[in-house]
Amino acid sequence: MSIDDLRAQYEAYPYPARDPADERKRLVTGSPSHLDEVNHFVFGGRLDHARPLRALVAGGGTGDGTIMLAQMMADAGNPGTVTYLDLSDAARAVAEARAATRGLTNIEFRRGSLLALEGLGPFDYIDCCGVLHHLDDPAAGLRSLTGALAPGGGMGIMVYAPYGRTGVYPLQQALRTMTEGLPPAERVAVARRLIAHLPRTNWLLANPFITDHRQADANLYDLLLHSCDRPFTVPELADLAASAGLAVAALVEPSRYEPSMWVKDPRTLKRLEGLSWLERAAWSERVCGSMTKHIAYLVRPADLDGAVARPDGPEVVPVLRDLDGPAIGRALPPGGSLDAELMGAMVTLPLPRLAGPILARIDGRRTLAELHREVAAAVGGDLAWETFRTQFGQLFAALNGVGKLLLRRGVR
Ligand SMILES: C[S@@+](CC[C@H](N)C(=O)[O-])C[C@H]1O[C@@H](n2cnc3c(N)ncnc32)[C@H](O)[C@@H]1O
């Protein structure tokens, strides 16, 4: 497929479908590239917002990642810039209108290919969400991005995953034989007609994890009519990263990739002992069945050690994401648990005894040392640092696993 074909698709159907006026009502957030998440999984929580972050969003589409990151950088007082790059003028127009609605002035909009980045960069952080799997040569795309990555920098990528997309690929092939040479709007009409007449035995109809074909035309086009769509399993994703001189620092959310989230039988789990974390992740993907995509943070192998923040010192600052800590903390009895959604399944997260009092005080500013002091005073009695740290570690494992709790170091 030529780059012109790809561009034609995204000129006709900028993706995802967005109305700039909606920026007055809400900020679309997600992964990768939520600023707290990037700080946690790429920079070990050490991002200093006094220093300008240089970010690239490669294949920015209608702007979800760009707008989120630029807004969060502005809110954090970071004086850096987000460079938006895309082949499609139509997609860029939507992204520019969204930025204008918000009054964001920290985005540089560019038209071009991520395969030709000469003169751009270096960047501390690169977002490439939903793009690599559409390239003829995803490894060449990732190598090109790595070439623009500053020393110590990292990337957030999203690629499609095969098992959760069961039913998508046979239907893509079926439609390809019927739609060759047709203009985009006619292809959509053909696809909608076929979907309406599919037999009950069709795997896409049986797949509860995929709904894009029931949404806007741009979503249907991306799902079923894309001329190039190649999903990645966990091992294939790790190979892709390695082929560009990168390593997987983290897969989010981490609990998705933890076998014990999916299979509770201790004897089965015992047989997995000794596997590396990536092998366990690959096993989880094969068994859970519902993974439609992978979100990964990548760094150079030499930077792996310090990439992901750990709850290991009194100066660490916990940051909640999309969770009302005080409300949950007050309602949580000692030894209580939280229910969370994980890839289409409800999971129960057992929490430590002090989860309530700790959660009630996490505000994105207090350090672990301060939380320790305050929780000790609140529970009235001796609370050794080691005991507090163990309790916080358990709370962190549960909530970080489902993307709700991140860490930063004591710089702002
Ligand atoms: C599926 S959309 C994803 C958009 C956005 N990253 C998001 O997640 O919402 C893919 C985008 O990548 C762009 N794209 C594809 N190949 C590209 C290339 N070689 N260089 C730059 N952009 C590209 C397309 O024009 C399209 O806007």
Side-chain angles (χ1 to χ4, degrees):
M1 186 207 33
S2 78
I3 210 156
D4 291 338
D5 289 342
L6 195 87
R7 202 178 143 225
Q9 171 186 334
Y10 289 109
E11 292 296 4
Y13 292 108
Y15 185 90
R18 294 285 181 230
D19 178 356
D22 289 340
E23 295 311 312
R24 290 194 193 92
K25 295 184 260 171
R26 53 92 186 99
L27 176 68
V28 177
T29 59
S31 298
S33 301
H34 186 292
L35 189 55
D36 293 333
E37 195 178 273
V38 171
N39 193 5
H40 180 101
F41 288 112
V42 173
F43 297 110
R46 294 178 306 273
L47 258 190
D48 176 359
H49 289 303
R51 297 176 53 183
L53 183 71
R54 301 163 295 179
L56 169 69
V57 180
T62 48
D64 279 4
T66 307
I67 298 294
M68 172 178 65
L69 188 55
Q71 183 67 64
M72 289 179 169
M73 282 167 57
D75 292 347
N78 189 298
T81 305
V82 180
T83 300
Y84 163 105
L85 182 74
D86 204 289
L87 293 169
S88 159
D89 290 327
R92 194 182 71 244
V94 176
E96 282 183 318
R98 292 174 72 183
T101 306
R102 289 186 166 273
L104 289 169
T105 54
N106 56 352
I107 307 173
E108 230 176 70
F109 287 95
R110 288 181 178 259
R111 173 181 167 189
S113 172
L114 64 85
L115 296 165
L117 293 175
E118 293 77 21
L120 279 187
F123 298 101
D124 305 304
Y125 176 69
I126 298 178
D127 165 295
C128 192
C129 177
V131 185
L132 292 171
H133 50 230
H134 290 320
L135 301 181
D136 279 340
D137 186 349
L142 195 59
R143 276 196 304 275
S144 170
L145 294 173
T146 309
L149 194 64
M155 285 189 212
I157 69 166
M158 183 278 274
V159 289
Y160 288 146
Y163 310 134
R165 285 167 67 82
T166 293
V168 170
Y169 295 98
L171 217 47
Q172 281 188 2
Q173 283 174 338
L175 282 165
R176 222 163 270 150
T177 38
M178 305 164 66
T179 56
E180 198 136 337
L182 294 183
E186 272 180 54
R187 291 184 193 202
V188 169
V190 171
R192 291 237 181 261
R193 219 180 151 76
L194 175 58
I195 290 165
H197 292 90
L198 282 174
R200 282 170 167 226
T201 49
N202 179 274
W203 276 118
L204 187 67
L205 294 188
N207 184 340
F209 309 114
I210 299 281
T211 55
D212 301 57
H213 52 297
R214 292 189 221 117
Q215 300 167 10
D217 287 353
N219 299 37
L220 175 135
Y221 206 107
D222 208 72
L223 182 75
L224 294 176
L225 293 163
H226 213 294
S227 45
C228 183
D229 174 341
R230 192 245 128 128
F232 288 82
T233 61
V234 168
E236 287 166 346
L237 169 58
D239 287 348
L240 174 70
S243 75
L246 299 172
V248 182
L251 292 162
V252 296
E253 290 118 358
S255 287
R256 295 181 187 181
Y257 297 92
E258 177 45 47
S260 62
M261 282 287 153
W262 304 110
V263 174
K264 301 295 177 194
D265 174 41
R267 282 168 66 180
T268 301
L269 293 173
K270 188 129 183 68
R271 291 191 173 274
L272 303 177
E273 281 176 5
L275 295 187
S276 71
W277 79 271
L278 272 174
E279 287 167 333
R280 293 167 69 81
W283 190 91
S284 300
E285 177 184 25
R286 292 173 190 133
V287 167
C288 102
S290 60
M291 289 189 198
T292 56
K293 60 187 173 183
H294 298 301
I295 296 160
Y297 286 102
L298 312 178
V299 298
R300 292 191 177 88
D303 297 323
L304 260 184
D305 252 1
V308 181
R310 295 199 189 96
D312 53 6
E315 77 288 4
V316 167
V317 179
V319 182
L320 288 169
R321 173 172 174 181
D322 304 330
L323 207 65
D324 184 344
I328 293 176
R330 276 194 300 274
L332 201 65
S337 59
L338 275 184
D339 290 336
E341 204 263 351
L342 198 67
M343 307 295 310
M346 284 312 284
V347 293
T348 298
L349 308 169
L351 298 177
R353 186 172 48 86
L354 293 177
I358 299 175
L359 267 176
R361 290 168 177 81
I362 295 179
D363 61 358
R365 278 187 287 275
R366 289 176 168 98
T367 61
L368 286 185
E370 288 165 335
L371 289 169
H372 171 222
R373 257 196 318 276
E374 290 187 27
V375 171
V379 297
D382 283 346
L383 178 62
W385 163 252
E386 277 311 319
T387 310
F388 172 80
R389 206 176 68 148
T390 305
Q391 294 262 321
F392 179 78
Q394 291 165 357
L395 176 67
F396 172 75
L399 294 187
N400 179 259
V402 293
K404 301 292 184 203
L405 183 54
L406 301 159
L407 304 173
R408 64 178 180 83
R409 300 265 150 191
V411 281
R412 185 87 201 163

